[in-house]
Amino acid sequence: KMLCRASFASGKSLFPTTKRLLSTVEVRLAPGWFVGHNLERTPADVAVTSKEEFMEYFKLMHTMRRMEITCHNEYLARNIRGFCHLYNGQEAVGTGIQAGLSLEDSWITSYRCHCIMLARGGTLEGIFAELMGKGDGHTGGKGGSMHFYNKSQNFYGGQGIVGAQVPVGTGLAFANKYNTPPGEKMPVAIACYGDGAANQGQIAESANMAMLWKLPMIFCVENNRYGMGTSSERSSSNTKYFTMGNVIPGLKVDGMNVLAVREGVKFAKEHAASGKGPIFLELETYRYMGHSASDPANYRPKAEGKAILNENDPIVVHAKNALVRHFGVTEEEVKAITNQIKTDVLAACERAKALPAPHIDTFADHVYIDGRPDFVRMPAIQDSIVAAAAAN
């Protein structure tokens, strides 16, 4: 194995010393990567990966970044309309959660969900098509930016209302427990929400219920430091979000490093799946863009984002440097990979633009269980639509 002593917490030195033996890498982490609350222990200070596995993490994160950059450009060109919440800077969170869970585990999140769809089986073309309102989009062009969904991989979508996904996620955890035979480990449910939603009553009520019933639930706070335009220090009297479950255990993790997130999620999953009940998971991260694509983010200094990009970026500082320094990947190879990703993303975007809009006959599909209604009440009763009359 390759023994690496790392200082991820500083954001400057990933693997100061290495010893190459086999294709896997054992990463020893610096103190402070994990902070626990009401836990007898925190995750081990070792993460094991390989060049091939880590390369997949890098590719997914870079694809997420390039996809969101392209989304922003298409929004400015008015090819994407409505709301558009971008994930730039938070890629290690989505990638690490995906790596730490299995497809049997349920995942639900907020409206910042393009990249989660990509991690849970989406395609670039299908995502762009959905954002542009095309019929071949992942939800038929009807969901748009905030409502991606892929039940086949247990992704229960983005939610347009702040915090609304958390009670639904608790219901998913209940279903997982209900459907698991006694004595067996349960699939878990994870509900991701931002620091801006963390003080909502529906989250506290869901957490109380989850603890009483010992549900396999992970309450995951993606702390990107700003709830819309308000900093966490101005909006929350308690910024230690991983402690907000009170008696419920919690874990804070460096959300800018994909291995930290993966190990933290694995730990949380093991806790919840074993019947101990829920756990709060805080992933400290940062979003480079405003709350949505139309937000210029004038409420924070530009130097703040630049400093994080240069010193603690999940892709360039952490993942890319690890590939170059410790997996033998050359700068030229990294450049070739990133250039190919850019080409693939732009090509997928162009293909999506050429797709047709949803056919008008599909507009009422998926609204009613058994097709279209026999009667549609209009404001003026004489204008109401009766199926038989409309057919004539």
Side-chain angles (χ1 to χ4, degrees):
K1 292 182 178 179
M2 184 191 299
L3 180 62
C4 305
R5 299 192 180 277
S7 179
F8 285 95
S10 68
K12 296 180 180 180
S13 178
L14 293 181
F15 306 116
T17 61
T18 62
K19 182 178 180 182
R20 186 183 299 276
L21 295 175
L22 292 176
S23 59
T24 57
V25 174
E26 187 178 80
V27 182
R28 297 195 182 280
L29 312 173
W33 209 10
F34 303 110
V35 180
H37 167 72
N38 285 345
L39 288 169
E40 295 181 357
R41 64 181 183 88
T42 55
D45 63 351
V46 173
V48 177
T49 189
S50 66
K51 176 181 176 180
E52 293 75 20
E53 181 180 67
F54 202 82
M55 178 63 80
E56 289 304 308
Y57 297 160
F58 174 79
K59 287 180 178 179
L60 179 55
M61 287 192 290
H62 193 82
T63 302
M64 289 175 173
R65 177 74 59 87
R66 180 52 58 183
M67 180 182 76
E68 295 293 68
I69 290 171
T70 304
C71 286
H72 188 237
N73 291 337
E74 295 301 323
Y75 184 88
L76 295 176
R78 299 178 66 82
N79 292 321
I80 295 174
R81 304 295 185 98
F83 290 105
C84 185
H85 302 88
L86 303 172
Y87 208 61
N88 310 48
Q90 299 181 217
E91 298 88 355
V93 170
T95 302
I97 291 175
Q98 174 69 2
L101 299 178
S102 71
L103 291 182
E104 288 70 38
D105 298 315
S106 307
W107 192 351
I108 192 167
T109 190
S110 70
Y111 39 74
R112 202 178 301 278
C113 60
H114 311 161
C115 292
I116 310 308
M117 183 68 206
L118 187 66
R120 277 274 161 134
T123 66
L124 288 167
E125 184 174 329
I127 291 169
F128 284 128
E130 185 59 39
L131 289 165
M132 296 176 186
K134 305 293 186 176
D136 291 325
H138 278 308
T139 53
K142 301 174 184 178
S145 173
M146 298 193 288
H147 300 289
F148 283 95
Y149 181 86
N150 188 5
K151 187 178 179 181
S152 66
Q153 295 200 15
N154 284 313
F155 174 48
Y156 292 90
Q159 300 287 311
I161 303 301
V162 175
Q165 67 273 22
V166 180
V168 181
T170 307
L172 292 169
F174 177 85
N176 288 344
K177 180 174 182 177
Y178 187 86
N179 291 320
T180 301
E184 295 185 12
K185 279 195 173 182
M186 300 170 281
V188 303
I190 185 169
C192 295
Y193 56 99
D195 49 287
N199 286 289
Q200 288 193 354
Q202 60 183 330
I203 294 176
E205 291 180 39
S206 298
N208 181 60
M209 183 182 296
M211 188 61 175
L212 288 172
W213 293 349
K214 294 294 186 288
L215 300 183
M217 177 65 181
I218 301 173
F219 294 89
C220 181
V221 186
E222 294 187 64
N223 179 8
N224 62 23
R225 306 190 189 186
Y226 294 90
M228 297 188 71
T230 306
S231 67
S232 56
E233 290 78 11
R234 293 178 59 216
S235 65
S236 184
S237 60
N238 178 11
T239 57
K240 295 180 179 179
Y241 298 105
F242 66 107
T243 69
M244 281 190 165
N246 298 313
V247 299
I248 299 174
L251 181 69
K252 183 173 74 171
V253 179
D254 177 2
M256 299 300 276
N257 190 284
V258 66
L259 289 180
V261 176
R262 186 193 72 179
E263 295 305 302
V265 170
K266 283 183 176 180
F267 179 90
K269 175 180 175 176
E270 176 63 27
H271 175 95
S274 63
K276 296 178 181 178
I279 186 170
F280 272 64
L281 183 66
E282 179 184 350
L283 305 177
E284 287 192 309
T285 184
Y286 191 82
R287 60 167 166 83
Y288 293 129
M289 308 298 291
H291 173 70
S292 66
S294 60
D295 173 16
N298 293 329
Y299 43 81
R300 62 186 183 186
K302 293 183 178 179
E304 180 182 272
K306 289 182 179 179
I308 292 174
L309 181 65
N310 293 330
E311 299 173 12
N312 201 27
D313 185 76
I315 301 172
V316 178
V317 175
H318 290 301
K320 176 191 168 184
N321 285 349
L323 286 173
V324 172
R325 296 177 189 174
H326 309 292
F327 290 101
V329 181
T330 66
E331 289 279 358
E332 290 73 21
E333 288 173 318
V334 171
K335 187 175 181 179
I337 291 167
T338 57
N339 284 343
Q340 185 60 54
I341 289 173
K342 181 178 179 180
T343 298
D344 292 343
V345 169
L346 293 176
C349 183
E350 291 304 311
R351 292 195 302 271
K353 288 180 184 178
L355 294 172
H359 194 278
I360 192 169
D361 288 344
T362 68
F363 275 16
D365 292 350
H366 309 115
V367 177
Y368 293 87
I369 294 174
D370 52 356
R372 300 187 177 204
D374 293 329
F375 177 80
V376 178
R377 174 68 161 86
M378 303 299 285
I381 188 67
Q382 65 271 19
D383 294 332
S384 298
I385 301 171
V386 179
N392 295 327

